[in-house]
Amino acid sequence: MGAVESLGTGHYIAEADLGAGTARAERSYTARDWRRLQDLRTRYEPEGVFHSCLTP
């Protein structure tokens, strides 16, 4: 996957190997949607107790 990664434009979130790198989750969304997800997490889960692909 690493050999062709630069040719891709993103990932389908259900198929992305999120453990392979923290940027993979972010590339699964548009920049606007990624920011919205981060804002929602900050609002509803500010302590960061639950594991999330939204934080490295």
Side-chain angles (χ1 to χ4, degrees):
M1 284 178 32
V4 296
E5 189 166 2
S6 64
L7 303 173
T9 58
H11 305 282
Y12 173 60
I13 191 68
E15 297 290 329
D17 180 7
L18 301 179
T22 57
R24 289 177 144 305
E26 185 173 351
R27 289 195 319 252
S28 298
Y29 299 93
T30 64
R32 179 178 166 238
D33 290 341
W34 181 253
R35 183 76 229 148
R36 182 171 180 257
L37 286 170
Q38 290 178 321
D39 291 345
L40 288 168
R41 180 159 195 237
T42 299
R43 180 177 177 185
Y44 291 106
E45 216 272 285
E47 293 85 23
V49 175
F50 298 98
H51 171 76
S52 172
C53 64
L54 300 176
T55 54

mmCIF file of all heavy atoms in Angstrom:
data_model
loop_
_atom_site.group_PDB
_atom_site.id
_atom_site.type_symbol
_atom_site.label_atom_id
_atom_site.label_comp_id
_atom_site.label_asym_id
_atom_site.label_seq_id
_atom_site.Cartn_x
_atom_site.Cartn_y
_atom_site.Cartn_z
ATOM 1 N N MET A 1 0.821 -1.187 0.000
ATOM 2 C CA MET A 1 0.000 0.000 0.000
ATOM 3 C C MET A 1 0.865 1.250 0.000
ATOM 4 O O MET A 1 0.495 2.236 -0.626
ATOM 5 C CB MET A 1 -0.929 -0.001 1.209
ATOM 6 C CG MET A 1 -2.087 -0.936 1.059
ATOM 7 S SD MET A 1 -3.247 -1.090 2.449
ATOM 8 C CE MET A 1 -3.273 0.474 3.217
ATOM 9 N N GLY A 2 1.957 1.203 0.685
ATOM 10 C CA GLY A 2 2.825 2.369 0.761
ATOM 11 C C GLY A 2 3.367 2.802 -0.589
ATOM 12 O O GLY A 2 3.546 3.991 -0.838
ATOM 13 N N ALA A 3 3.586 1.842 -1.488
ATOM 14 C CA ALA A 3 4.136 2.157 -2.808
ATOM 15 C C ALA A 3 3.174 2.960 -3.670
ATOM 16 O O ALA A 3 3.589 3.726 -4.533
ATOM 17 C CB ALA A 3 4.524 0.873 -3.537
ATOM 18 N N VAL A 4 1.889 2.810 -3.470
ATOM 19 C CA VAL A 4 0.902 3.521 -4.296
ATOM 20 C C VAL A 4 0.136 4.592 -3.504
ATOM 21 O O VAL A 4 -0.741 5.246 -4.050
ATOM 22 C CB VAL A 4 -0.104 2.534 -4.937
ATOM 23 C CG1 VAL A 4 0.594 1.605 -5.902
ATOM 24 C CG2 VAL A 4 -0.860 1.761 -3.892
ATOM 25 N N GLU A 5 0.474 4.790 -2.254
ATOM 26 C CA GLU A 5 -0.265 5.731 -1.406
ATOM 27 C C GLU A 5 -0.280 7.145 -1.973
ATOM 28 O O GLU A 5 -1.285 7.845 -1.901
ATOM 29 C CB GLU A 5 0.315 5.744 0.003
ATOM 30 C CG GLU A 5 -0.527 6.510 0.972
ATOM 31 C CD GLU A 5 -0.126 6.234 2.417
ATOM 32 O OE1 GLU A 5 0.826 5.490 2.661
ATOM 33 O OE2 GLU A 5 -0.789 6.796 3.286
ATOM 34 N N SER A 6 0.806 7.586 -2.563
ATOM 35 C CA SER A 6 0.857 8.949 -3.097
ATOM 36 C C SER A 6 -0.070 9.139 -4.292
ATOM 37 O O SER A 6 -0.389 10.267 -4.655
ATOM 38 C CB SER A 6 2.291 9.299 -3.510
ATOM 39 O OG SER A 6 2.708 8.459 -4.574
ATOM 40 N N LEU A 7 -0.547 8.058 -4.890
ATOM 41 C CA LEU A 7 -1.450 8.142 -6.039
ATOM 42 C C LEU A 7 -2.905 8.279 -5.630
ATOM 43 O O LEU A 7 -3.747 8.632 -6.446
ATOM 44 C CB LEU A 7 -1.297 6.893 -6.920
ATOM 45 C CG LEU A 7 0.113 6.628 -7.440
ATOM 46 C CD1 LEU A 7 0.169 5.293 -8.147
ATOM 47 C CD2 LEU A 7 0.579 7.754 -8.335
ATOM 48 N N GLY A 8 -3.214 8.022 -4.378
ATOM 49 C CA GLY A 8 -4.592 8.058 -3.892
ATOM 50 C C GLY A 8 -5.003 9.447 -3.436
ATOM 51 O O GLY A 8 -4.175 10.326 -3.222
ATOM 52 N N THR A 9 -6.311 9.614 -3.290
ATOM 53 C CA THR A 9 -6.836 10.895 -2.828
ATOM 54 C C THR A 9 -7.522 10.778 -1.480
ATOM 55 O O THR A 9 -8.006 11.760 -0.947
ATOM 56 C CB THR A 9 -7.857 11.467 -3.844
ATOM 57 O OG1 THR A 9 -8.905 10.518 -4.019
ATOM 58 C CG2 THR A 9 -7.189 11.769 -5.160
ATOM 59 N N GLY A 10 -7.600 9.583 -0.931
ATOM 60 C CA GLY A 10 -8.243 9.403 0.364
ATOM 61 C C GLY A 10 -8.501 7.947 0.644
ATOM 62 O O GLY A 10 -7.940 7.071 0.006
ATOM 63 N N HIS A 11 -9.361 7.699 1.611
ATOM 64 C CA HIS A 11 -9.689 6.339 2.024
ATOM 65 C C HIS A 11 -11.175 6.247 2.303
ATOM 66 O O HIS A 11 -11.791 7.208 2.759
ATOM 67 C CB HIS A 11 -8.964 5.964 3.316
ATOM 68 C CG HIS A 11 -7.496 6.119 3.266
ATOM 69 N ND1 HIS A 11 -6.676 5.222 2.649
ATOM 70 C CD2 HIS A 11 -6.688 7.090 3.751
ATOM 71 C CE1 HIS A 11 -5.422 5.618 2.761
ATOM 72 N NE2 HIS A 11 -5.408 6.750 3.427
ATOM 73 N N TYR A 12 -11.717 5.091 2.069
ATOM 74 C CA TYR A 12 -13.064 4.790 2.539
ATOM 75 C C TYR A 12 -12.890 4.364 3.987
ATOM 76 O O TYR A 12 -12.144 3.437 4.279
ATOM 77 C CB TYR A 12 -13.674 3.682 1.680
ATOM 78 C CG TYR A 12 -14.996 3.172 2.185
ATOM 79 C CD1 TYR A 12 -16.085 4.027 2.309
ATOM 80 C CD2 TYR A 12 -15.159 1.844 2.547
ATOM 81 C CE1 TYR A 12 -17.302 3.566 2.780
ATOM 82 C CE2 TYR A 12 -16.373 1.377 3.011
ATOM 83 C CZ TYR A 12 -17.437 2.240 3.124
ATOM 84 O OH TYR A 12 -18.635 1.791 3.596
ATOM 85 N N ILE A 13 -13.516 5.063 4.916
ATOM 86 C CA ILE A 13 -13.238 4.894 6.344
ATOM 87 C C ILE A 13 -13.378 3.446 6.817
ATOM 88 O O ILE A 13 -12.606 2.983 7.642
ATOM 89 C CB ILE A 13 -14.092 5.862 7.199
ATOM 90 C CG1 ILE A 13 -13.606 5.887 8.652
ATOM 91 C CG2 ILE A 13 -15.563 5.512 7.133
ATOM 92 C CD1 ILE A 13 -12.277 6.493 8.865
ATOM 93 N N ALA A 14 -14.325 2.710 6.280
ATOM 94 C CA ALA A 14 -14.504 1.325 6.714
ATOM 95 C C ALA A 14 -13.409 0.404 6.176
ATOM 96 O O ALA A 14 -13.214 -0.684 6.685
ATOM 97 C CB ALA A 14 -15.880 0.811 6.292
ATOM 98 N N GLU A 15 -12.686 0.840 5.171
ATOM 99 C CA GLU A 15 -11.635 0.021 4.573
ATOM 100 C C GLU A 15 -10.231 0.504 4.938
ATOM 101 O O GLU A 15 -9.260 -0.158 4.625
ATOM 102 C CB GLU A 15 -11.781 0.023 3.044
ATOM 103 C CG GLU A 15 -13.061 -0.586 2.544
ATOM 104 C CD GLU A 15 -13.120 -2.097 2.741
ATOM 105 O OE1 GLU A 15 -12.066 -2.746 2.694
ATOM 106 O OE2 GLU A 15 -14.230 -2.611 2.943
ATOM 107 N N ALA A 16 -10.124 1.670 5.541
ATOM 108 C CA ALA A 16 -8.817 2.232 5.856
ATOM 109 C C ALA A 16 -8.175 1.492 7.023
ATOM 110 O O ALA A 16 -8.827 1.189 8.007
ATOM 111 C CB ALA A 16 -8.948 3.714 6.196
ATOM 112 N N ASP A 17 -6.895 1.210 6.888
ATOM 113 C CA ASP A 17 -6.134 0.608 7.982
ATOM 114 C C ASP A 17 -5.668 1.749 8.884
ATOM 115 O O ASP A 17 -4.579 2.281 8.722
ATOM 116 C CB ASP A 17 -4.951 -0.171 7.415
ATOM 117 C CG ASP A 17 -4.118 -0.832 8.489
ATOM 118 O OD1 ASP A 17 -4.519 -0.799 9.671
ATOM 119 O OD2 ASP A 17 -3.062 -1.387 8.143
ATOM 120 N N LEU A 18 -6.526 2.159 9.807
ATOM 121 C CA LEU A 18 -6.259 3.335 10.622
ATOM 122 C C LEU A 18 -5.046 3.163 11.520
ATOM 123 O O LEU A 18 -4.413 4.136 11.899
ATOM 124 C CB LEU A 18 -7.496 3.696 11.445
ATOM 125 C CG LEU A 18 -8.744 4.002 10.615
ATOM 126 C CD1 LEU A 18 -9.918 4.322 11.535
ATOM 127 C CD2 LEU A 18 -8.503 5.121 9.632
ATOM 128 N N GLY A 19 -4.704 1.943 11.818
ATOM 129 C CA GLY A 19 -3.517 1.691 12.629
ATOM 130 C C GLY A 19 -2.218 1.916 11.879
ATOM 131 O O GLY A 19 -1.154 2.021 12.479
ATOM 132 N N ALA A 20 -2.281 2.013 10.556
ATOM 133 C CA ALA A 20 -1.078 2.184 9.741
ATOM 134 C C ALA A 20 -0.540 3.612 9.791
ATOM 135 O O ALA A 20 0.580 3.857 9.377
ATOM 136 C CB ALA A 20 -1.362 1.791 8.297
ATOM 137 N N GLY A 21 -1.320 4.537 10.273
ATOM 138 C CA GLY A 21 -0.854 5.919 10.365
ATOM 139 C C GLY A 21 -1.976 6.846 10.777
ATOM 140 O O GLY A 21 -3.120 6.659 10.382
ATOM 141 N N THR A 22 -1.634 7.852 11.565
ATOM 142 C CA THR A 22 -2.659 8.748 12.090
ATOM 143 C C THR A 22 -3.314 9.601 11.009
ATOM 144 O O THR A 22 -4.453 10.012 11.159
ATOM 145 C CB THR A 22 -2.073 9.670 13.175
ATOM 146 O OG1 THR A 22 -0.971 10.387 12.627
ATOM 147 C CG2 THR A 22 -1.620 8.872 14.377
ATOM 148 N N ALA A 23 -2.629 9.855 9.910
ATOM 149 C CA ALA A 23 -3.185 10.691 8.842
ATOM 150 C C ALA A 23 -4.241 9.946 8.019
ATOM 151 O O ALA A 23 -5.015 10.567 7.308
ATOM 152 C CB ALA A 23 -2.076 11.193 7.934
ATOM 153 N N ARG A 24 -4.279 8.636 8.101
ATOM 154 C CA ARG A 24 -5.228 7.862 7.290
ATOM 155 C C ARG A 24 -6.674 8.208 7.626
ATOM 156 O O ARG A 24 -7.506 8.320 6.738
ATOM 157 C CB ARG A 24 -5.006 6.377 7.472
ATOM 158 C CG ARG A 24 -3.722 5.877 6.835
ATOM 159 C CD ARG A 24 -3.542 4.403 7.127
ATOM 160 N NE ARG A 24 -2.959 3.630 6.080
ATOM 161 C CZ ARG A 24 -3.362 3.524 4.834
ATOM 162 N NH1 ARG A 24 -4.391 4.181 4.421
ATOM 163 N NH2 ARG A 24 -2.740 2.766 3.964
ATOM 164 N N ALA A 25 -6.989 8.366 8.886
ATOM 165 C CA ALA A 25 -8.359 8.711 9.269
ATOM 166 C C ALA A 25 -8.732 10.076 8.711
ATOM 167 O O ALA A 25 -9.806 10.252 8.148
ATOM 168 C CB ALA A 25 -8.503 8.706 10.786
ATOM 169 N N GLU A 26 -7.843 11.022 8.831
ATOM 170 C CA GLU A 26 -8.122 12.373 8.343
ATOM 171 C C GLU A 26 -8.349 12.383 6.837
ATOM 172 O O GLU A 26 -9.226 13.091 6.340
ATOM 173 C CB GLU A 26 -6.969 13.308 8.700
ATOM 174 C CG GLU A 26 -7.238 14.740 8.330
ATOM 175 C CD GLU A 26 -6.166 15.694 8.834
ATOM 176 O OE1 GLU A 26 -5.291 15.274 9.607
ATOM 177 O OE2 GLU A 26 -6.225 16.874 8.452
ATOM 178 N N ARG A 27 -7.595 11.593 6.103
ATOM 179 C CA ARG A 27 -7.749 11.555 4.645
ATOM 180 C C ARG A 27 -9.021 10.839 4.207
ATOM 181 O O ARG A 27 -9.349 10.822 3.027
ATOM 182 C CB ARG A 27 -6.523 10.907 4.012
ATOM 183 C CG ARG A 27 -5.298 11.795 4.099
ATOM 184 C CD ARG A 27 -4.181 11.361 3.194
ATOM 185 N NE ARG A 27 -3.977 9.927 3.141
ATOM 186 C CZ ARG A 27 -2.942 9.291 3.682
ATOM 187 N NH1 ARG A 27 -2.035 9.958 4.335
ATOM 188 N NH2 ARG A 27 -2.824 7.993 3.573
ATOM 189 N N SER A 28 -9.744 10.274 5.138
ATOM 190 C CA SER A 28 -11.010 9.613 4.821
ATOM 191 C C SER A 28 -12.165 10.609 4.726
ATOM 192 O O SER A 28 -13.263 10.242 4.349
ATOM 193 C CB SER A 28 -11.333 8.558 5.879
ATOM 194 O OG SER A 28 -10.343 7.557 5.906
ATOM 195 N N TYR A 29 -11.921 11.853 5.092
ATOM 196 C CA TYR A 29 -12.959 12.888 5.119
ATOM 197 C C TYR A 29 -12.480 14.131 4.389
ATOM 198 O O TYR A 29 -11.276 14.356 4.271
ATOM 199 C CB TYR A 29 -13.291 13.275 6.571
ATOM 200 C CG TYR A 29 -13.805 12.142 7.390
ATOM 201 C CD1 TYR A 29 -12.948 11.368 8.160
ATOM 202 C CD2 TYR A 29 -15.158 11.815 7.391
ATOM 203 C CE1 TYR A 29 -13.428 10.311 8.921
ATOM 204 C CE2 TYR A 29 -15.639 10.749 8.144
ATOM 205 C CZ TYR A 29 -14.763 10.009 8.902
ATOM 206 O OH TYR A 29 -15.230 8.966 9.645
ATOM 207 N N THR A 30 -13.414 14.977 3.985
ATOM 208 C CA THR A 30 -13.025 16.280 3.451
ATOM 209 C C THR A 30 -12.484 17.110 4.611
ATOM 210 O O THR A 30 -12.764 16.818 5.781
ATOM 211 C CB THR A 30 -14.220 17.020 2.822
ATOM 212 O OG1 THR A 30 -15.187 17.297 3.848
ATOM 213 C CG2 THR A 30 -14.861 16.209 1.711
ATOM 214 N N ALA A 31 -11.735 18.141 4.314
ATOM 215 C CA ALA A 31 -11.164 18.991 5.358
ATOM 216 C C ALA A 31 -12.276 19.590 6.231
ATOM 217 O O ALA A 31 -12.153 19.642 7.456
ATOM 218 C CB ALA A 31 -10.318 20.095 4.743
ATOM 219 N N ARG A 32 -13.356 20.005 5.604
ATOM 220 C CA ARG A 32 -14.482 20.595 6.337
ATOM 221 C C ARG A 32 -15.111 19.573 7.283
ATOM 222 O O ARG A 32 -15.377 19.870 8.448
ATOM 223 C CB ARG A 32 -15.515 21.102 5.345
ATOM 224 C CG ARG A 32 -16.731 21.697 5.986
ATOM 225 C CD ARG A 32 -17.691 22.232 4.899
ATOM 226 N NE ARG A 32 -18.978 22.501 5.480
ATOM 227 C CZ ARG A 32 -20.108 21.954 5.083
ATOM 228 N NH1 ARG A 32 -20.129 21.135 4.060
ATOM 229 N NH2 ARG A 32 -21.235 22.237 5.674
ATOM 230 N N ASP A 33 -15.346 18.361 6.803
ATOM 231 C CA ASP A 33 -15.955 17.321 7.630
ATOM 232 C C ASP A 33 -15.021 16.881 8.754
ATOM 233 O O ASP A 33 -15.466 16.594 9.873
ATOM 234 C CB ASP A 33 -16.366 16.126 6.783
ATOM 235 C CG ASP A 33 -17.545 16.432 5.886
ATOM 236 O OD1 ASP A 33 -18.265 17.412 6.151
ATOM 237 O OD2 ASP A 33 -17.743 15.691 4.905
ATOM 238 N N TRP A 34 -13.731 16.808 8.493
ATOM 239 C CA TRP A 34 -12.756 16.429 9.526
ATOM 240 C C TRP A 34 -12.778 17.440 10.667
ATOM 241 O O TRP A 34 -12.802 17.088 11.839
ATOM 242 C CB TRP A 34 -11.366 16.313 8.921
ATOM 243 C CG TRP A 34 -10.338 15.912 9.919
ATOM 244 C CD1 TRP A 34 -9.373 16.700 10.458
ATOM 245 C CD2 TRP A 34 -10.177 14.617 10.509
ATOM 246 N NE1 TRP A 34 -8.622 15.981 11.348
ATOM 247 C CE2 TRP A 34 -9.090 14.698 11.399
ATOM 248 C CE3 TRP A 34 -10.846 13.409 10.369
ATOM 249 C CZ2 TRP A 34 -8.656 13.612 12.146
ATOM 250 C CZ3 TRP A 34 -10.409 12.320 11.125
ATOM 251 C CH2 TRP A 34 -9.331 12.439 11.997
ATOM 252 N N ARG A 35 -12.792 18.731 10.303
ATOM 253 C CA ARG A 35 -12.836 19.778 11.321
ATOM 254 C C ARG A 35 -14.131 19.679 12.128
ATOM 255 O O ARG A 35 -14.132 19.843 13.343
ATOM 256 C CB ARG A 35 -12.744 21.153 10.631
ATOM 257 C CG ARG A 35 -12.704 22.310 11.561
ATOM 258 C CD ARG A 35 -11.336 22.432 12.205
ATOM 259 N NE ARG A 35 -11.563 22.575 13.647
ATOM 260 C CZ ARG A 35 -10.763 22.134 14.601
ATOM 261 N NH1 ARG A 35 -9.656 21.534 14.311
ATOM 262 N NH2 ARG A 35 -11.052 22.277 15.856
ATOM 263 N N ARG A 36 -15.240 19.387 11.454
ATOM 264 C CA ARG A 36 -16.531 19.242 12.139
ATOM 265 C C ARG A 36 -16.488 18.078 13.131
ATOM 266 O O ARG A 36 -16.965 18.193 14.260
ATOM 267 C CB ARG A 36 -17.640 19.019 11.123
ATOM 268 C CG ARG A 36 -19.003 18.916 11.767
ATOM 269 C CD ARG A 36 -20.111 18.911 10.707
ATOM 270 N NE ARG A 36 -21.403 18.815 11.356
ATOM 271 C CZ ARG A 36 -22.130 17.705 11.421
ATOM 272 N NH1 ARG A 36 -21.716 16.603 10.836
ATOM 273 N NH2 ARG A 36 -23.288 17.688 12.042
ATOM 274 N N LEU A 37 -15.902 16.965 12.726
ATOM 275 C CA LEU A 37 -15.774 15.819 13.631
ATOM 276 C C LEU A 37 -14.946 16.177 14.857
ATOM 277 O O LEU A 37 -15.281 15.807 15.987
ATOM 278 C CB LEU A 37 -15.154 14.628 12.898
ATOM 279 C CG LEU A 37 -16.047 13.911 11.913
ATOM 280 C CD1 LEU A 37 -15.226 12.916 11.092
ATOM 281 C CD2 LEU A 37 -17.185 13.207 12.616
ATOM 282 N N GLN A 38 -13.860 16.903 14.635
ATOM 283 C CA GLN A 38 -13.029 17.316 15.760
ATOM 284 C C GLN A 38 -13.794 18.256 16.690
ATOM 285 O O GLN A 38 -13.703 18.132 17.913
ATOM 286 C CB GLN A 38 -11.761 17.992 15.261
ATOM 287 C CG GLN A 38 -10.816 17.025 14.593
ATOM 288 C CD GLN A 38 -9.587 17.713 14.075
ATOM 289 O OE1 GLN A 38 -9.653 18.816 13.552
ATOM 290 N NE2 GLN A 38 -8.455 17.069 14.231
ATOM 291 N N ASP A 39 -14.537 19.189 16.120
ATOM 292 C CA ASP A 39 -15.327 20.123 16.932
ATOM 293 C C ASP A 39 -16.395 19.387 17.739
ATOM 294 O O ASP A 39 -16.612 19.691 18.916
ATOM 295 C CB ASP A 39 -15.982 21.178 16.043
ATOM 296 C CG ASP A 39 -14.971 22.142 15.439
ATOM 297 O OD1 ASP A 39 -13.814 22.189 15.913
ATOM 298 O OD2 ASP A 39 -15.349 22.838 14.475
ATOM 299 N N LEU A 40 -17.053 18.416 17.117
ATOM 300 C CA LEU A 40 -18.074 17.640 17.825
ATOM 301 C C LEU A 40 -17.461 16.844 18.968
ATOM 302 O O LEU A 40 -18.025 16.762 20.063
ATOM 303 C CB LEU A 40 -18.809 16.710 16.866
ATOM 304 C CG LEU A 40 -19.763 17.387 15.896
ATOM 305 C CD1 LEU A 40 -20.213 16.409 14.810
ATOM 306 C CD2 LEU A 40 -20.961 17.960 16.634
ATOM 307 N N ARG A 41 -16.309 16.271 18.718
ATOM 308 C CA ARG A 41 -15.655 15.504 19.781
ATOM 309 C C ARG A 41 -15.269 16.414 20.937
ATOM 310 O O ARG A 41 -15.449 16.082 22.111
ATOM 311 C CB ARG A 41 -14.422 14.784 19.267
ATOM 312 C CG ARG A 41 -13.773 13.986 20.402
ATOM 313 C CD ARG A 41 -12.895 12.905 19.893
ATOM 314 N NE ARG A 41 -12.603 12.002 20.981
ATOM 315 C CZ ARG A 41 -11.365 11.712 21.377
ATOM 316 N NH1 ARG A 41 -10.335 12.194 20.745
ATOM 317 N NH2 ARG A 41 -11.180 10.889 22.382
ATOM 318 N N THR A 42 -14.747 17.582 20.629
ATOM 319 C CA THR A 42 -14.379 18.539 21.672
ATOM 320 C C THR A 42 -15.603 18.951 22.488
ATOM 321 O O THR A 42 -15.532 19.070 23.712
ATOM 322 C CB THR A 42 -13.726 19.780 21.044
ATOM 323 O OG1 THR A 42 -12.544 19.371 20.351
ATOM 324 C CG2 THR A 42 -13.357 20.805 22.102
ATOM 325 N N ARG A 43 -16.711 19.124 21.815
ATOM 326 C CA ARG A 43 -17.937 19.555 22.489
ATOM 327 C C ARG A 43 -18.544 18.458 23.361
ATOM 328 O O ARG A 43 -18.948 18.695 24.491
ATOM 329 C CB ARG A 43 -18.948 19.997 21.446
ATOM 330 C CG ARG A 43 -20.253 20.460 22.028
ATOM 331 C CD ARG A 43 -21.169 20.957 20.945
ATOM 332 N NE ARG A 43 -22.454 21.333 21.500
ATOM 333 C CZ ARG A 43 -23.482 21.703 20.793
ATOM 334 N NH1 ARG A 43 -23.392 21.764 19.485
ATOM 335 N NH2 ARG A 43 -24.616 22.016 21.366
ATOM 336 N N TYR A 44 -18.630 17.241 22.827
ATOM 337 C CA TYR A 44 -19.352 16.174 23.516
ATOM 338 C C TYR A 44 -18.462 15.205 24.302
ATOM 339 O O TYR A 44 -18.963 14.420 25.096
ATOM 340 C CB TYR A 44 -20.203 15.383 22.517
ATOM 341 C CG TYR A 44 -21.344 16.205 21.982
ATOM 342 C CD1 TYR A 44 -21.312 16.702 20.691
ATOM 343 C CD2 TYR A 44 -22.445 16.503 22.781
ATOM 344 C CE1 TYR A 44 -22.358 17.472 20.196
ATOM 345 C CE2 TYR A 44 -23.482 17.277 22.305
ATOM 346 C CZ TYR A 44 -23.438 17.748 21.011
ATOM 347 O OH TYR A 44 -24.468 18.522 20.541
ATOM 348 N N GLU A 45 -17.152 15.238 24.072
ATOM 349 C CA GLU A 45 -16.251 14.325 24.766
ATOM 350 C C GLU A 45 -14.957 15.064 25.086
ATOM 351 O O GLU A 45 -13.877 14.667 24.644
ATOM 352 C CB GLU A 45 -16.001 13.107 23.854
ATOM 353 C CG GLU A 45 -15.861 11.794 24.584
ATOM 354 C CD GLU A 45 -14.447 11.495 25.024
ATOM 355 O OE1 GLU A 45 -13.602 11.140 24.212
ATOM 356 O OE2 GLU A 45 -14.212 11.603 26.231
ATOM 357 N N PRO A 46 -15.049 16.170 25.828
ATOM 358 C CA PRO A 46 -13.887 17.033 26.049
ATOM 359 C C PRO A 46 -12.748 16.391 26.838
ATOM 360 O O PRO A 46 -11.601 16.800 26.683
ATOM 361 C CB PRO A 46 -14.471 18.229 26.809
ATOM 362 C CG PRO A 46 -15.705 17.710 27.455
ATOM 363 C CD PRO A 46 -16.234 16.650 26.525
ATOM 364 N N GLU A 47 -13.041 15.409 27.662
ATOM 365 C CA GLU A 47 -11.979 14.774 28.453
ATOM 366 C C GLU A 47 -11.137 13.802 27.638
ATOM 367 O O GLU A 47 -10.077 13.377 28.077
ATOM 368 C CB GLU A 47 -12.574 14.034 29.663
ATOM 369 C CG GLU A 47 -13.187 14.953 30.693
ATOM 370 C CD GLU A 47 -14.627 15.316 30.350
ATOM 371 O OE1 GLU A 47 -15.279 14.555 29.597
ATOM 372 O OE2 GLU A 47 -15.099 16.370 30.807
ATOM 373 N N GLY A 48 -11.609 13.396 26.465
ATOM 374 C CA GLY A 48 -10.854 12.472 25.630
ATOM 375 C C GLY A 48 -10.713 11.093 26.243
ATOM 376 O O GLY A 48 -9.690 10.446 26.090
ATOM 377 N N VAL A 49 -11.727 10.652 26.961
ATOM 378 C CA VAL A 49 -11.692 9.361 27.647
ATOM 379 C C VAL A 49 -11.746 8.201 26.652
ATOM 380 O O VAL A 49 -11.043 7.212 26.801
ATOM 381 C CB VAL A 49 -12.858 9.256 28.658
ATOM 382 C CG1 VAL A 49 -12.918 7.873 29.287
ATOM 383 C CG2 VAL A 49 -12.722 10.318 29.723
ATOM 384 N N PHE A 50 -12.574 8.327 25.642
ATOM 385 C CA PHE A 50 -12.777 7.239 24.696
ATOM 386 C C PHE A 50 -11.740 7.285 23.571
ATOM 387 O O PHE A 50 -11.384 8.360 23.085
ATOM 388 C CB PHE A 50 -14.193 7.296 24.115
ATOM 389 C CG PHE A 50 -15.255 7.121 25.150
ATOM 390 C CD1 PHE A 50 -15.903 8.217 25.688
ATOM 391 C CD2 PHE A 50 -15.566 5.859 25.633
ATOM 392 C CE1 PHE A 50 -16.881 8.068 26.660
ATOM 393 C CE2 PHE A 50 -16.541 5.697 26.609
ATOM 394 C CZ PHE A 50 -17.181 6.806 27.124
ATOM 395 N N HIS A 51 -11.306 6.116 23.154
ATOM 396 C CA HIS A 51 -10.373 6.023 22.034
ATOM 397 C C HIS A 51 -11.040 6.581 20.782
ATOM 398 O O HIS A 51 -12.217 6.374 20.539
ATOM 399 C CB HIS A 51 -9.968 4.568 21.788
ATOM 400 C CG HIS A 51 -9.179 4.409 20.526
ATOM 401 N ND1 HIS A 51 -7.859 4.771 20.438
ATOM 402 C CD2 HIS A 51 -9.550 3.965 19.308
ATOM 403 C CE1 HIS A 51 -7.439 4.532 19.216
ATOM 404 N NE2 HIS A 51 -8.432 4.035 18.516
ATOM 405 N N SER A 52 -10.271 7.278 19.982
ATOM 406 C CA SER A 52 -10.814 7.844 18.760
ATOM 407 C C SER A 52 -9.736 7.949 17.703
ATOM 408 O O SER A 52 -8.571 8.202 18.006
ATOM 409 C CB SER A 52 -11.375 9.232 19.039
ATOM 410 O OG SER A 52 -11.744 9.862 17.848
ATOM 411 N N CYS A 53 -10.136 7.780 16.447
ATOM 412 C CA CYS A 53 -9.196 7.989 15.347
ATOM 413 C C CYS A 53 -9.024 9.482 15.077
ATOM 414 O O CYS A 53 -8.232 9.876 14.240
ATOM 415 C CB CYS A 53 -9.668 7.270 14.091
ATOM 416 S SG CYS A 53 -11.237 7.890 13.441
ATOM 417 N N LEU A 54 -9.748 10.326 15.805
ATOM 418 C CA LEU A 54 -9.672 11.763 15.606
ATOM 419 C C LEU A 54 -8.457 12.375 16.275
ATOM 420 O O LEU A 54 -8.108 13.510 16.023
ATOM 421 C CB LEU A 54 -10.922 12.471 16.133
ATOM 422 C CG LEU A 54 -12.239 12.046 15.488
ATOM 423 C CD1 LEU A 54 -13.410 12.751 16.160
ATOM 424 C CD2 LEU A 54 -12.231 12.349 14.009
ATOM 425 N N THR A 55 -7.801 11.622 17.150
ATOM 426 C CA THR A 55 -6.613 12.120 17.824
ATOM 427 C C THR A 55 -5.485 11.127 17.640
ATOM 428 O O THR A 55 -5.689 9.916 17.695
ATOM 429 C CB THR A 55 -6.865 12.314 19.333
ATOM 430 O OG1 THR A 55 -7.345 11.101 19.875
ATOM 431 C CG2 THR A 55 -7.845 13.423 19.593
ATOM 432 N N PRO A 56 -4.291 11.629 17.402
ATOM 433 C CA PRO A 56 -3.149 10.718 17.209
ATOM 434 C C PRO A 56 -2.797 9.961 18.463
ATOM 435 O O PRO A 56 -3.080 10.349 19.546
ATOM 436 C CB PRO A 56 -2.010 11.647 16.792
ATOM 437 C CG PRO A 56 -2.502 13.019 16.843
ATOM 438 C CD PRO A 56 -3.943 13.000 17.228
#
